[in-house]
């Protein structure tokens, strides 16, 4: 690979030697039946592996209360750990570095996904507002259950155990999912968090849960094997914040105390689009404040990725939809070759091949 292209300049990420800066973003595919990873994922992930390339798994549930949708993988049982092993081995066999994204979805879940049909847990008892479908129908969610203060350490421990299981499955590390409206973000964001205990109110209190998880996971598997994903500017799943810049900066400065490997942040592109701000929001202050590896994601193409790396805006760039549709994306970027177009309708279907492992490689075009 040509190191004259910014995205192909080698990079040392803690103990890991990366041959390029192109990262497979975590992508929910809903093909892990009954929360157990399936053999067809071996081909899916290995197709997208290059020697010295970093892959981040799809969001992987930490417990039976963590599910947010059907057929996402889990990592809280022995069966799930064993099912992950051949998938991780296939990535390692091709020289890849593989991190497992661990998640609790909180109020994004449904009663029918929960043990005994109970209410999903959250920082709050506020349900998501009714959402209108394309056909005009309204989806109304039932209220979640607000976690009691003394219940929170158990959830922190579930993250710790999931990280332990990920290492047992062979993963090189874990990415803690604190973005896109999942449970951690339900604590971080003031649009959702209406607590009056030590986990609500001030910025310090709202970030406490996330940082307790980071500390617990880092102590369990080592900070050099821990990353976190954050989206301070996003309003996904009705999880916005009144001061996202302050939230993002507080979090990266607090994360520095734990010396974790990386911070993976989602670009505020949609905010810029809708607000038409004269001074667009930027991740640059957070990039400058964070001591570890910085990863950005959010609709990047080849040119933008090269520019982001060459200007020192980031260390690595995560690609989602176009990596989904182009299993050989690094090679296509190196050659500046045309890209396959992704088919959104096949992103989250149960088929083990269609829209999953059947996208063509450049050599077969």
């Amino acid at each position: 690979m040509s190191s004259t292209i910014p995205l192909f300049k080698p990079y040392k990420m803690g103990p890991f030697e990366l041959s390029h800066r192109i990262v497979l973003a975590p992508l929910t595919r809903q093909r892990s039946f009954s929360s157990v990873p399936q053999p067809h994922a071996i081909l899916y992930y290995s197709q997208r592996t290059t020697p010295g390339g970093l892959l981040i798994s799809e969001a992987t549930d930490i417990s039976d209360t963590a599910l947010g949708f059907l057929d996402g993988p889990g990592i809280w049982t022995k069966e799930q750990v064993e099912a992950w092993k051949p998938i991780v081995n296939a990535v390692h066999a091709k020289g890849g570095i593989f991190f497992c994204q661990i998640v609790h979805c909180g109020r994004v879940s449904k009663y029918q996904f929960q043990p005994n049909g109970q209410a999903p847990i959250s920082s709050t008892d506020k349900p998501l507002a009714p959402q209108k479908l394309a056909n005009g129908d309204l989806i109304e969610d039932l209220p979640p259950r607000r976690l009691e203060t003394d219940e929170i350490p158990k959830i922190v421990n579930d993250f710790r155990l999931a990280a332990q299981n990920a290492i047992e499955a062979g993963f090189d590390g874990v990415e803690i999912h604190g973005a896109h409206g999942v449970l951690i973000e339900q604590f971080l964001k003031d649009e959702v968090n209406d607590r009056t205990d030590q986990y609500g109110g001030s910025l310090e209190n709202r970030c406490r849960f996330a940082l307790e998880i980071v500390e617990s996971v880092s102590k369990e598997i080592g900070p050099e094997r821990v990353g976190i994903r954050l989206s301070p500017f996003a309003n996904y799943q009705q999880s916005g914040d009144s001061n996202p810049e302050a939230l993002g900066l507080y979090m990266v400065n607090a994360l520095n105390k734990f010396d974790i490997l990386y911070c993976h942040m989602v670009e505020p592109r949609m905010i810029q689009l809708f607000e038409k701000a004269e001074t667009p929001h930027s991740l640059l202050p957070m990039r400058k404040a964070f001591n570890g590896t910085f990863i950005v994601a959010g609709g990047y193409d080849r040119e933008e990725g090269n520019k982001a790396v060459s200007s020192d805006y980031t260390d690595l760039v995560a690609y989602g939809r176009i990596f989904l549709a182009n299993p050989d994306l690094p090679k296509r970027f190196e050659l500046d070759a045309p890209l396959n177009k992704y088919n959104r309708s096949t992103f989250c279907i149960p088929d083990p091949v269609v829209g999953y492992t059947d996208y063509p490689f450049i050599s077969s075009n």
Side-chain angles (χ1 to χ4, degrees), residues 16 74 92 96 122-123 151 176 195 199 228 230 234 263 284 300-301 312 343 360:
F16 306 104
H92 285 160
S122 182
S123 64
E151 292 180 291
I176 298 164
R195 302 179 72 91
Y199 293 94
I228 190 169
L230 300 170
C263 180
L284 189 58
Y300 276 86
D301 60 18
D312 201 31
N343 181 353

Side-chain angles (χ1 to χ4, degrees), residues 105-109 120-122 126-128 144 186 192 237-239:
C105 290
R107 71 170 184 171
V108 175
S109 185
I121 59 174
S122 182
K126 295 184 297 186
L128 289 165
Q186 291 159 35
V192 184
Q237 299 289 357
Q238 300 163 30
S239 296

